[in-house]
């Protein structure tokens, strides 16, 4: 899950900029996801839901982490361009989690939408929301960190209760001192 920082403020202070801003940021985020083998399932206002599937969880998690890093770099470059053009800027929050999901078309006879649902989706959303509280742009679950050798690139930011999730969970972010 990803979300834009301060989006409500931008909609209140520069409403004419909302659609162009969403398009610019979505382009940077969606491109990073697609370039790393992910699939974007939803653009929800200023949020994005993407999945990285595969028989090998290590490959899927590695691709998701690469997409997160690429998206962050894309946002930095986009912000440089937008500042030069005198346009409002923002940043992105991102939550990564790994788990089983149910997928399929959900809706009614008049409107169907392909999506994923389940506890793993809910946790990913809650992890992204925690970015604000712990002042980190990217957070990952312990389940994500425990895949293969992912932990060598991460650092713990502590244990947190996630809304609607039974047990507190240790969350991780990118270790700035870790090897690439």
């Amino acid at each position: 899950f990803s979300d834009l920082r301060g989006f409500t403020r931008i909609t209140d202070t520069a409403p004419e900029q909302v659609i162009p801003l969403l398009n610019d940021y979505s382009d940077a985020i969606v491109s990073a996801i697609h370039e790393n083998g992910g699939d974007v399932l939803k653009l929800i206002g200023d949020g994005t839901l993407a999945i990285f599937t595969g028989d090998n969880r290590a490959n899927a998690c590695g691709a998701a982490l690469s997409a997160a890093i690429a998206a962050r770099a894309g946002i930095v470059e986009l912000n440089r361009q937008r500042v030069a053009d005198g346009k409002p800027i923002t940043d992105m929050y991102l939550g990564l989690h790994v788990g089983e999901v149910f997928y399929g078309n959900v809706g009614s006879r008049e409107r169907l939408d392909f999506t994923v649902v389940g506890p793993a989706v809910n946790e990913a959303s809650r992890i992204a929301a925690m970015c604000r509280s712990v002042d980190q742009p990217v957070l990952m679950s312990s389940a994500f960190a425990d895949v293969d050798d992912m932990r060598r690139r991460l650092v713990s930011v502590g244990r947190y209760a996630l809304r609607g999730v039974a047990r507190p969970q240790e969350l991780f972010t990118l270790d700035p001192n870790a090897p690439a």
Side-chain angles (χ1 to χ4, degrees):
F1 264 94
S2 73
D3 203 9
L4 296 180
R5 178 192 298 240
F7 181 73
T8 302
R9 177 187 45 78
I10 294 169
T11 61
D12 290 343
T13 59
E16 72 286 350
Q17 289 290 322
V18 171
I19 298 298
L21 178 134
L22 283 174
N23 288 335
D24 285 350
Y25 285 90
S26 292
D27 188 46
I29 295 165
V30 170
S31 295
I33 292 165
H34 286 163
E35 288 168 6
N36 286 280
D39 292 306
V40 175
L41 297 185
K42 302 270 179 269
L43 297 174
I44 311 160
D46 64 320
T48 304
L49 168 62
I51 59 171
F52 292 80
T53 59
D55 294 334
N56 183 314
R57 277 194 170 183
N59 290 344
C61 289
L65 188 57
S66 293
I69 292 166
R72 300 259 334 127
I75 297 298
V76 167
E77 179 55 34
L78 175 61
N79 282 342
R80 248 186 244 128
Q81 293 170 6
R82 289 184 63 88
V83 164
D85 294 340
K87 296 177 181 176
I89 63 169
T90 188
D91 203 354
M92 155 184 93
Y93 294 120
L94 186 86
L96 297 173
H97 182 53
V98 61
E100 306 257 335
V101 298
F102 301 100
Y103 62 91
N105 290 314
V106 175
S108 69
R109 286 176 290 200
E110 291 86 23
R111 172 85 162 97
L112 286 176
D113 196 22
F114 182 80
T115 194
V116 291
V117 295
V121 179
N122 297 337
E123 286 183 49
S125 172
R126 301 310 187 260
I127 292 165
M130 284 300 297
C131 288
R132 291 174 185 89
S133 299
V134 299
D135 197 28
Q136 291 293 327
V138 178
L139 288 175
M140 287 142 270
S141 67
S142 57
F144 188 95
D146 288 341
V147 172
D148 202 35
D149 67 343
M150 210 51 67
R151 221 177 255 256
R152 72 179 173 79
R153 302 175 68 186
L154 309 176
V155 63
S156 176
V157 295
R159 293 180 62 78
Y160 295 91
L162 303 177
R163 186 173 57 86
V165 176
R167 291 173 300 160
Q169 193 173 126
E170 186 173 16
L171 300 178
F172 296 81
T173 194
L174 289 165
D175 183 348
N177 301 316

